[in-house]
Amino acid sequence: MVYQKIIAIVALTSVVNCGAQFVTTGYSTFARPTVRPLVPTYAARPLVAAAPVAVAHPPVATIAQPVPLAVARPVEEYDPNPQYSFSYRVEDAVTGDVKGQSETRNGDLVQGFYSLVEPDGTVRRVEYSADSVNGFNAVVTKLAAAPVPAAAPVPAVAAVPLTRPLALPARPVAFATPVV
């Protein structure tokens, strides 16, 4: 039994050492593996190691890359002391939208306020200021709701009964289909 294992191991190592290669031919599912022995090539090893040899190579030619041209950009105007002032107010009777804002800037200091009527009827007013030292600061106040005038009563309209059924003209039904 021990001899059989040894013989199997020797046979396996001899097959591996001989360089047999299993190759399948084609992409067919019925391809059978074929054994192609590799031809071993042996090269004689030098007895003495060769010393490194210095080889002079010609210089590598370099191609000059084009230099990008400098594009002249327009000079942006810089205002060291910007100043502006604006304000607006909206009072829309149809939608009930009431709001406004006012703001002034002088250099790095911005001051202003805005106000609006909120859905519950209160008026929110925000007064703010901003500068490079203190940052943005806001004070929010809420004012009581202004009294809303009572709406005038709407006269009731009596419904008119239909004497005949309502007939609508027949229309062709068309559906849009997505373009694929």
Side-chain angles (χ1 to χ4, degrees):
M1 186 73 174
V2 174
Y3 294 114
Q4 290 175 347
K5 290 181 181 177
I6 293 175
I7 292 173
I9 292 174
V10 169
L12 182 63
T13 53
S14 65
V15 169
V16 170
N17 286 336
C18 79
Q21 180 181 13
F22 292 94
V23 178
T24 59
T25 57
Y27 294 101
S28 170
T29 57
F30 300 107
R32 296 181 183 168
T34 58
V35 176
R36 294 184 187 169
L38 297 175
V39 178
T41 57
Y42 298 102
R45 295 186 180 185
L47 298 176
V48 179
V53 179
V55 178
H57 293 284
V60 177
T62 59
I63 299 173
Q65 297 294 328
V67 177
L69 298 176
V71 178
R73 294 184 183 176
V75 177
E76 295 180 14
E77 294 183 18
Y78 174 72
D79 186 3
N81 189 23
Q83 296 179 350
Y84 65 82
S85 179
F86 74 89
S87 65
Y88 72 87
R89 182 140 180 92
V90 175
E91 291 185 21
D92 190 357
V94 175
T95 63
D97 190 17
V98 178
K99 58 187 171 186
Q101 181 179 6
S102 177
E103 183 174 292
T104 304
R105 178 175 183 177
N106 187 4
D108 286 340
L109 177 63
V110 178
Q111 293 178 327
F113 77 92
Y114 69 88
S115 66
L116 60 106
V117 176
E118 301 212 42
D120 64 353
T122 59
V123 176
R124 178 175 29 161
R125 181 176 171 93
V126 179
E127 296 181 13
Y128 59 90
S129 65
D131 58 20
S132 60
V133 176
N134 299 317
F136 181 81
N137 294 303
V139 177
V140 180
T141 57
K142 277 199 159 199
L143 305 174
V148 178
V154 178
V157 177
V160 178
L162 292 175
T163 56
R164 59 189 166 118
L166 183 63
L168 296 174
R171 295 183 184 163
V173 177
F175 296 101
T177 58
V179 177
V180 181

